[in-house]
Amino acid sequence: MMLRRSVVYILVGTVILSSLFVLNFKLNILNNPVEAGLISISFFGVIAIFMFSLSPNLLSSTRKIGSVDKVIFYISITIYTLISIGLIHNYGTDDQEYIMEALSYFMKGQNPYLGLYYPVDARPTYTIYGTVVHNFVYPPLSFLIYLPIALLLSLSKLPLYYSNVVNILFQDALVFLIFRAGLKREDPIATLPVIFLFIIADVEVPGFSGVSASVWGTFLAISYLYDDKRSGIALALANSFSQISWLITPFLLLYKFRTSRGTFFTNLKWFLGTLTGVFLPFMLWSPEAFLHIFTTDLNTIPVGFTGMTLLNFTGIFEVEPWYFTIMMGAIGLFSLYLYYKAFKTLRETLWIYPMLVMWFSWRTLTEYFMIWPMLMFLSVFRLYDFSTVQTNFPEIRLPKKEIGTIFLLLFTVAGSLGVIAHTQYVSQDPLRIVSVSLDSKGSPIYSLNITVENIGKSSTNITLVRVSVPDHLNMVWNYSPNYPIKPGSNATIKAYTDQHALEINGSCITVQVYSSYYISEYKLNLTSINMSTSSNIS
């Protein structure tokens, strides 16, 4: 146990130290000296962790979970919280800005679902038609939960983007819940969840940058941990905050039904009652506008860090958007069927299935996946008793033939529909980029000439131009002129940006031209162009 403790502590300290370096690397330290200084001072918290890992007797000769491990945890979470609050400079995402704007509408007595939105402080989310997403599509609690801090910030005359403090505090709460569940095992591995605080910050889904996944994640953790009415209320609050939590709901309800049947129907009443209490007023306020929360995001430009959408918008295997919706539904139903049939064996695997479903989503942002591994700690702590060595695992009994038949059917349907969706996409794709040339000299690049050919059978319009470099995949540029391109003819457009943040200083550019969800792609190697220009000059 002594060895395990020291290894875990050093691992926690190393991850925190690495994260501090990464954060300072990403941060413009000259323009943000206070924040950089705060990160640098946090180094001494890491030193304290290392000291306790190499000499736990400094705190307690018994080395119980109630002494050393708690100190390590609280040092780690304090470092994260202070750094995170210090790094709040803006909303970070248009989601967070829209949330506060929706709250502003609500406080003025206006329906948030009827308002028009446009981000001022954050970059917008574009649709495949070239417009900016201008309506509010999140459940009511997504903005209602920020009401107290909004009032406090208004009274203090502080910027509303400090509402991100709520996201940070919920991140702390989630990790604390996981840590407390681990305390019962009296094992130092309970401190490992704090690592996720720093990993999440480094992979760019931090609460201080407008990512609120920790809010619904905390509610799900509470729902999982308790078997009384708190479970039903917390699940309803998660569903009232984010649509992503809807993916786990049938699995969590099945889990509660099978593990705590005596209180299940009481919890179900509290779940339905709370959900109705949050949803119904806004549904009655404007039914049509409120139904915008039931969205598949298919009208927005595809963005992804994993999943089927990467194969689609990179041109590896292009399919019609409807394929994503069908596959999400099919994978969700199969996963629920598998979980139901093999519940005794797969009881604690409920957190995996939303990740499988989201792999087939049109947009696979990092925040859609990072919360689930954190929640898996709860299942691990419940599944295993680390105070004893468990060697006798239950025998796996699955209805293999039945599951195999269903899986084969799913695989056949998915493959067949994939071929149909791909064939339909290719046959109807109207655009092909013929050439791309630089319109601006030198660096940075802010203007391009793009020649496009209409290979379709009818006139088509360009709806959006997306210019990307390897570390930035979401740069939408303006373009002109915009007129229908006749079949079999070419058109040259000028794509440009007047935003310094969207200018290019790279060696390789990927240009994508959209006609609704049809995408044509062209890669331009700037290094070869510069070498060719230099040789011509010489």
Side-chain angles (χ1 to χ4, degrees), residues 25 51 59 149 191 252 270 287 306 314 335 354 391 407 523:
F25 175 77
M51 288 289 291
L59 286 176
I149 195 171
T191 59
L252 190 52
W270 280 99
T306 186
T314 57
S335 298
T391 56
F407 178 78
K523 296 186 183 299

mmCIF file of all heavy atoms in Angstrom, residues 25 51 59 149 191 252 270 287 306 314 335 354 391 407 523:
data_model
loop_
_atom_site.group_PDB
_atom_site.id
_atom_site.type_symbol
_atom_site.label_atom_id
_atom_site.label_comp_id
_atom_site.label_asym_id
_atom_site.label_seq_id
_atom_site.Cartn_x
_atom_site.Cartn_y
_atom_site.Cartn_z
ATOM 1 N N PHE A 25 2.320 27.476 -21.965
ATOM 2 C CA PHE A 25 2.697 27.460 -23.382
ATOM 3 C C PHE A 25 1.573 28.034 -24.243
ATOM 4 O O PHE A 25 1.815 28.784 -25.187
ATOM 5 C CB PHE A 25 3.024 26.034 -23.817
ATOM 6 C CG PHE A 25 3.301 25.897 -25.291
ATOM 7 C CD1 PHE A 25 4.525 26.291 -25.817
ATOM 8 C CD2 PHE A 25 2.342 25.386 -26.144
ATOM 9 C CE1 PHE A 25 4.777 26.169 -27.176
ATOM 10 C CE2 PHE A 25 2.589 25.257 -27.500
ATOM 11 C CZ PHE A 25 3.810 25.647 -28.020
ATOM 12 N N MET A 51 6.663 16.112 -2.089
ATOM 13 C CA MET A 51 7.217 15.911 -0.753
ATOM 14 C C MET A 51 6.429 14.842 0.013
ATOM 15 O O MET A 51 7.006 13.944 0.637
ATOM 16 C CB MET A 51 7.204 17.227 0.025
ATOM 17 C CG MET A 51 8.228 18.252 -0.447
ATOM 18 S SD MET A 51 9.917 17.793 -0.024
ATOM 19 C CE MET A 51 9.870 17.992 1.757
ATOM 20 N N LEU A 59 2.856 13.962 7.198
ATOM 21 C CA LEU A 59 1.473 14.248 7.579
ATOM 22 C C LEU A 59 0.922 13.240 8.572
ATOM 23 O O LEU A 59 0.200 13.595 9.493
ATOM 24 C CB LEU A 59 0.576 14.262 6.328
ATOM 25 C CG LEU A 59 0.727 15.479 5.423
ATOM 26 C CD1 LEU A 59 -0.148 15.308 4.199
ATOM 27 C CD2 LEU A 59 0.339 16.742 6.162
ATOM 28 N N ILE A 149 -25.570 33.739 -10.110
ATOM 29 C CA ILE A 149 -24.288 34.396 -10.364
ATOM 30 C C ILE A 149 -24.459 35.582 -11.297
ATOM 31 O O ILE A 149 -23.720 36.573 -11.200
ATOM 32 C CB ILE A 149 -23.249 33.396 -10.927
ATOM 33 C CG1 ILE A 149 -21.843 34.015 -10.816
ATOM 34 C CG2 ILE A 149 -23.569 33.003 -12.361
ATOM 35 C CD1 ILE A 149 -20.733 33.052 -11.140
ATOM 36 N N THR A 191 -7.451 9.363 -5.320
ATOM 37 C CA THR A 191 -7.017 10.715 -5.696
ATOM 38 C C THR A 191 -6.867 10.891 -7.204
ATOM 39 O O THR A 191 -6.727 12.012 -7.683
ATOM 40 C CB THR A 191 -5.663 11.039 -5.039
ATOM 41 O OG1 THR A 191 -4.689 10.080 -5.468
ATOM 42 C CG2 THR A 191 -5.776 11.011 -3.530
ATOM 43 N N LEU A 252 -29.463 4.595 -17.343
ATOM 44 C CA LEU A 252 -29.451 4.865 -15.906
ATOM 45 C C LEU A 252 -30.776 4.463 -15.262
ATOM 46 O O LEU A 252 -30.800 3.940 -14.142
ATOM 47 C CB LEU A 252 -29.153 6.350 -15.662
ATOM 48 C CG LEU A 252 -28.862 6.771 -14.222
ATOM 49 C CD1 LEU A 252 -27.768 5.915 -13.604
ATOM 50 C CD2 LEU A 252 -28.462 8.248 -14.167
ATOM 51 N N TRP A 270 -40.418 11.422 -9.147
ATOM 52 C CA TRP A 270 -39.677 12.659 -8.922
ATOM 53 C C TRP A 270 -38.967 13.106 -10.198
ATOM 54 O O TRP A 270 -38.881 14.311 -10.474
ATOM 55 C CB TRP A 270 -38.660 12.463 -7.794
ATOM 56 C CG TRP A 270 -39.267 12.556 -6.433
ATOM 57 C CD1 TRP A 270 -39.634 11.530 -5.618
ATOM 58 C CD2 TRP A 270 -39.595 13.764 -5.741
ATOM 59 N NE1 TRP A 270 -40.175 12.008 -4.453
ATOM 60 C CE2 TRP A 270 -40.161 13.385 -4.492
ATOM 61 C CE3 TRP A 270 -39.482 15.114 -6.039
ATOM 62 C CZ2 TRP A 270 -40.597 14.321 -3.553
ATOM 63 C CZ3 TRP A 270 -39.922 16.044 -5.093
ATOM 64 C CH2 TRP A 270 -40.471 15.639 -3.880
ATOM 65 N N PRO A 287 -44.815 26.790 -27.765
ATOM 66 C CA PRO A 287 -44.535 25.382 -28.088
ATOM 67 C C PRO A 287 -43.604 25.214 -29.287
ATOM 68 O O PRO A 287 -42.663 24.418 -29.236
ATOM 69 C CB PRO A 287 -45.931 24.811 -28.375
ATOM 70 C CG PRO A 287 -46.871 25.709 -27.643
ATOM 71 C CD PRO A 287 -46.250 27.072 -27.716
ATOM 72 N N THR A 306 -13.142 12.970 -33.497
ATOM 73 C CA THR A 306 -13.195 11.532 -33.666
ATOM 74 C C THR A 306 -14.515 11.222 -34.347
ATOM 75 O O THR A 306 -15.305 12.115 -34.638
ATOM 76 C CB THR A 306 -13.094 10.790 -32.314
ATOM 77 O OG1 THR A 306 -13.021 9.382 -32.556
ATOM 78 C CG2 THR A 306 -14.307 11.056 -31.449
ATOM 79 N N THR A 314 -13.606 14.840 -44.146
ATOM 80 C CA THR A 314 -12.254 14.774 -44.709
ATOM 81 C C THR A 314 -12.239 14.102 -46.072
ATOM 82 O O THR A 314 -11.195 14.033 -46.721
ATOM 83 C CB THR A 314 -11.307 14.005 -43.769
ATOM 84 O OG1 THR A 314 -11.829 12.698 -43.525
ATOM 85 C CG2 THR A 314 -11.122 14.747 -42.458
ATOM 86 N N SER A 335 -27.413 -0.888 -28.212
ATOM 87 C CA SER A 335 -26.694 -0.805 -26.943
ATOM 88 C C SER A 335 -27.638 -1.038 -25.771
ATOM 89 O O SER A 335 -27.296 -1.743 -24.808
ATOM 90 C CB SER A 335 -26.015 0.565 -26.812
ATOM 91 O OG SER A 335 -25.052 0.759 -27.833
ATOM 92 N N PRO A 354 -23.203 5.979 -24.284
ATOM 93 C CA PRO A 354 -23.314 7.311 -24.907
ATOM 94 C C PRO A 354 -22.116 7.652 -25.794
ATOM 95 O O PRO A 354 -22.276 8.342 -26.806
ATOM 96 C CB PRO A 354 -23.388 8.254 -23.700
ATOM 97 C CG PRO A 354 -23.936 7.421 -22.600
ATOM 98 C CD PRO A 354 -23.362 6.054 -22.818
ATOM 99 N N THR A 391 -10.069 -12.054 -7.010
ATOM 100 C CA THR A 391 -9.581 -12.900 -8.100
ATOM 101 C C THR A 391 -10.690 -13.725 -8.736
ATOM 102 O O THR A 391 -10.520 -14.246 -9.835
ATOM 103 C CB THR A 391 -8.495 -13.867 -7.585
ATOM 104 O OG1 THR A 391 -9.027 -14.638 -6.496
ATOM 105 C CG2 THR A 391 -7.273 -13.094 -7.109
ATOM 106 N N PHE A 407 -26.560 -8.355 -33.769
ATOM 107 C CA PHE A 407 -25.374 -7.601 -34.196
ATOM 108 C C PHE A 407 -25.133 -7.770 -35.694
ATOM 109 O O PHE A 407 -24.800 -6.801 -36.390
ATOM 110 C CB PHE A 407 -24.147 -8.066 -33.418
ATOM 111 C CG PHE A 407 -22.877 -7.371 -33.835
ATOM 112 C CD1 PHE A 407 -22.601 -6.078 -33.401
ATOM 113 C CD2 PHE A 407 -21.967 -7.993 -34.672
ATOM 114 C CE1 PHE A 407 -21.447 -5.423 -33.786
ATOM 115 C CE2 PHE A 407 -20.805 -7.359 -35.062
ATOM 116 C CZ PHE A 407 -20.541 -6.071 -34.620
ATOM 117 N N LYS A 523 -6.202 20.749 -51.192
ATOM 118 C CA LYS A 523 -5.047 21.005 -50.333
ATOM 119 C C LYS A 523 -3.999 21.804 -51.094
ATOM 120 O O LYS A 523 -3.656 21.471 -52.231
ATOM 121 C CB LYS A 523 -4.447 19.692 -49.818
ATOM 122 C CG LYS A 523 -5.382 18.905 -48.920
ATOM 123 C CD LYS A 523 -4.699 17.688 -48.324
ATOM 124 C CE LYS A 523 -5.661 16.867 -47.476
ATOM 125 N NZ LYS A 523 -6.200 17.622 -46.340
#
